[in-house]
Amino acid sequence: MNAKPVPRTELSELGERFRREGRRIAFANGCFDLLHVGHVRYLQGARAQGDVLVVGVNSDSSVLRLKGPGRPLLPADARAELVAALESVDYVVIFDELTAEEVLRDLRPDVHCKGTDYSTDSVPERELVKTLGGSVRIVGDAKSHATRELLAEIVRRFSTPTSGTGDPATSSREKQ
């Protein structure tokens, strides 16, 4: 694993250490329930905003509250390990709240990064970040990737009767 998991209780100390070292801290967060290219580009964009990138991953209970029944697909530890394996990520912390406000209070990053499905005015934590002396940046590519859409496509493809290949396109060719 490239990145280091950080226990929530050590986040304040980590932020203090980076500030003493003069390092610019970027923070990004999300559910990361089914890692896709949009997540990778979001985190690459977030990493470009600082010297170190800390990523908050929503806990299982907060994903359930945010996304509804059937989610998360993967447990928080697995989602955190996948995110931590990305080259752009330096540290990962799992948090239980619905927003990242408590994590932001502990870490006090220089910049809080959100994906392009937000605007600077719609980021729930924007006022807190400003109070802490940080800024909000919208990063990543245009929002054309969504876990919900990916899940719907998987269901569509694999709920179609097939001849055992699991590939509806192959099955329709076999019937011809």
Side-chain angles (χ1 to χ4, degrees):
M1 191 163 33
N2 296 335
K4 297 182 176 106
V6 180
R8 184 67 185 274
T9 56
E10 295 177 19
L11 205 54
S12 292
E13 183 181 315
L14 185 69
E16 287 297 327
R17 187 182 92 209
F18 291 143
R19 279 186 289 286
R20 279 194 312 272
E21 294 171 356
R23 296 173 75 186
R24 184 172 166 84
I25 306 167
F27 176 78
N29 67 285
C31 297
F32 305 103
D33 196 12
L34 187 58
L35 200 61
H36 56 71
V37 70
H39 293 133
V40 172
R41 292 173 183 164
Y42 162 52
L43 295 174
Q44 287 171 335
R47 180 64 173 86
Q49 298 298 311
D51 301 314
V52 61
L53 175 60
V54 179
V55 178
V57 174
N58 288 81
S59 69
D60 295 343
S61 63
S62 66
V63 173
L64 174 62
R65 288 178 290 173
L66 289 165
K67 303 295 184 178
R71 303 281 295 276
L73 298 171
L74 298 172
D77 288 342
R79 291 182 283 117
E81 187 172 339
L82 286 167
V83 168
L86 297 173
E87 184 177 349
S88 56
V89 177
D90 296 301
Y91 294 88
V92 176
V93 61
I94 296 171
F95 67 99
D96 286 319
E97 298 80 15
L98 294 180
T99 70
E101 286 188 354
E102 292 304 315
V103 174
L104 290 164
R105 279 188 182 93
D106 291 343
L107 183 63
R108 293 182 22 239
D110 297 285
V111 61
H112 177 38
C113 302
K114 295 299 272 185
T116 57
D117 47 336
Y118 288 88
S119 70
T120 52
D121 292 334
S122 69
V123 173
E125 306 90 352
R126 71 187 175 284
E127 292 303 320
L128 173 63
V129 172
K130 192 184 305 182
T131 300
L132 296 171
S135 62
V136 171
R137 295 282 187 273
I138 305 303
V139 299
D141 63 352
K143 180 72 174 177
S144 60
H145 322 280
T147 301
R148 181 170 284 125
E149 292 168 9
L150 186 55
L151 290 172
E153 181 63 14
I154 291 169
V155 168
R156 185 190 69 75
R157 287 188 189 190
F158 294 97
S159 64
T160 304
T162 66
S163 63
T165 64
D167 180 0
T170 303
S171 298
S172 63
R173 285 192 303 269
E174 290 172 354
K175 292 177 186 172
Q176 294 176 349

